[in-house]
């Protein structure tokens, strides 16, 4: 009697079918419920600081205008003193660090 070694054994086939049925019958969340949960979590995270406390205050930052002896580097966008100008081209100034 010849034996076909490529054929799946009956005990292996039964375990594969059982595991497939178990996966199909499991209560897996659908895509909508996952998106809804993520949206709710994001909305809740916006109101909480990293320490877990609710923050209800605004940050106040004083903006100081650029002085006459300062320039903004066109490459790194940092405000620097005029003594750090390496070159000016087409009305844009570049600092020593960006040119060096």
């Amino acid at each position: 009697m010849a034996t076909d070694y490529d054929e799946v054994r009956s005990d292996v086939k039964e375990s594969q079918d059982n595991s497939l049925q178990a996966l199909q019958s499991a209560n897996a969340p659908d895509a909508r419920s996952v998106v809804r949960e993520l949206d709710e979590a994001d909305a809740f995270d916006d109101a909480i600081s990293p320490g877990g406390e609710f923050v209800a205050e605004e940050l106040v930052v004083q903006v100081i205008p650029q002085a006459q002896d300062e320039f903004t580097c066109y490459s790194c966008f940092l405000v620097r003193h005029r003594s750090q100008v390496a070159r000016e081209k087409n009305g844009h100034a570049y600092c020593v660090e960006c040119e060096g």
Side-chain angles (χ1 to χ4, degrees):
M1 177 176 205
T3 304
D4 184 8
Y5 290 105
D6 292 331
E7 184 179 336
V8 178
R9 295 189 323 233
S10 61
D11 58 338
V12 172
K13 185 161 181 66
E14 286 176 19
S15 68
Q16 287 176 346
D17 290 341
N18 290 341
S19 63
L20 178 62
Q21 290 172 358
L23 287 174
Q24 289 174 343
S25 66
N27 292 331
D30 62 340
R32 289 185 189 139
S33 66
V34 171
V35 169
R36 190 178 320 112
E37 288 177 13
L38 289 174
D39 288 344
E40 290 171 359
D42 287 343
F44 188 67
D45 287 344
D46 289 342
I48 298 178
S49 69
E53 301 172 0
F54 286 98
V55 177
E57 63 184 58
E58 294 182 21
L59 296 177
V60 179
V61 178
Q62 182 181 4
V63 178
I64 302 171
Q66 185 172 312
Q68 293 291 335
D69 61 343
E70 294 177 332
F71 74 100
T72 303
C73 177
Y74 194 69
S75 179
C76 65
F77 303 105
L78 294 176
V79 176
R80 300 186 178 268
H81 190 265
R82 280 272 171 212
S83 63
Q84 295 182 349
V85 173
R87 81 177 159 107
E88 291 189 40
K89 182 178 179 183
N90 297 333
H92 302 296
Y94 297 89
C95 69
V96 176
E97 289 184 19
C98 292
E99 290 297 311

